[in-house]
Amino acid sequence: MKSYESILVAVDIYSDYEPVIARALNIAGTDMKINLIYVVYPQTSIEPYGLFLETDYSDEICEQAKTRLRDIATQHGIEPTNTHVVVGAAADEIHDAAERLKADLIVIGTHGRSGVRLLLGSTANAVMHGVKVDVLAVKV
């Protein structure tokens, strides 16, 4: 069986990400590449009065997220250059990043808060479907 060489760790920087990163670090050992990814959902609002203009706050949110993700990486001994903040649908962006970064394992947290998906959260469930590499869902 081939061992893993590159791990993509999908984290929610505003939730309990520690168990997810800890599990990835345990698997990685010392000579494996780890990338962290945080996906920003596109944030738009519509003015209630006047011209009904759409405003996109994604750039501002991304800058804050990049700073936070780099801090998390540094705290865990992960290269800050191996952090990625992207905007879009979480599962699609994680799939794309795994392919682009040549990851052979995705580690993602799951909380299972949504009533329909009792075992996995909706994002973890979506990531598992249609992905070409192994996925480890860590209960947080």
Side-chain angles (χ1 to χ4, degrees), residues 23-81:
R23 186 65 57 91
L25 289 170
N26 283 340
I27 292 169
T30 57
D31 54 337
M32 196 177 306
K33 184 174 183 178
I34 293 182
N35 284 281
L36 300 180
I37 186 170
Y38 175 71
V39 181
V40 175
Y41 188 77
Q43 304 290 315
T44 58
S45 65
I46 299 174
E47 296 293 325
Y49 306 105
L51 302 174
F52 297 101
L53 299 175
E54 236 180 50
T55 305
D56 188 349
Y57 297 102
S58 298
D59 291 341
E60 189 177 320
I61 294 168
C62 283
E63 286 307 312
Q64 293 172 1
K66 285 176 186 177
T67 300
R68 178 79 177 115
L69 197 58
R70 285 185 195 123
D71 291 345
I72 291 168
T74 301
Q75 290 170 2
H76 291 89
I78 299 168
E79 284 294 321
T81 55

Side-chain angles (χ1 to χ4, degrees), residues 75-132:
Q75 290 170 2
H76 291 89
I78 299 168
E79 284 294 321
T81 55
N82 290 355
T83 60
H84 312 275
V85 175
V86 294
V87 178
D92 293 339
E93 295 299 333
I94 292 168
H95 290 166
D96 291 347
E99 193 170 316
R100 183 177 69 253
L101 298 168
K102 296 179 178 35
D104 44 20
L105 175 66
I106 298 170
V107 179
I108 188 168
T110 180
H111 49 71
R113 284 187 223 148
S114 57
V116 176
R117 301 187 193 329
L118 296 175
L119 298 175
L120 296 173
S122 58
T123 300
N125 189 39
V127 168
M128 290 181 67
H129 296 304
V131 73
K132 298 175 183 174

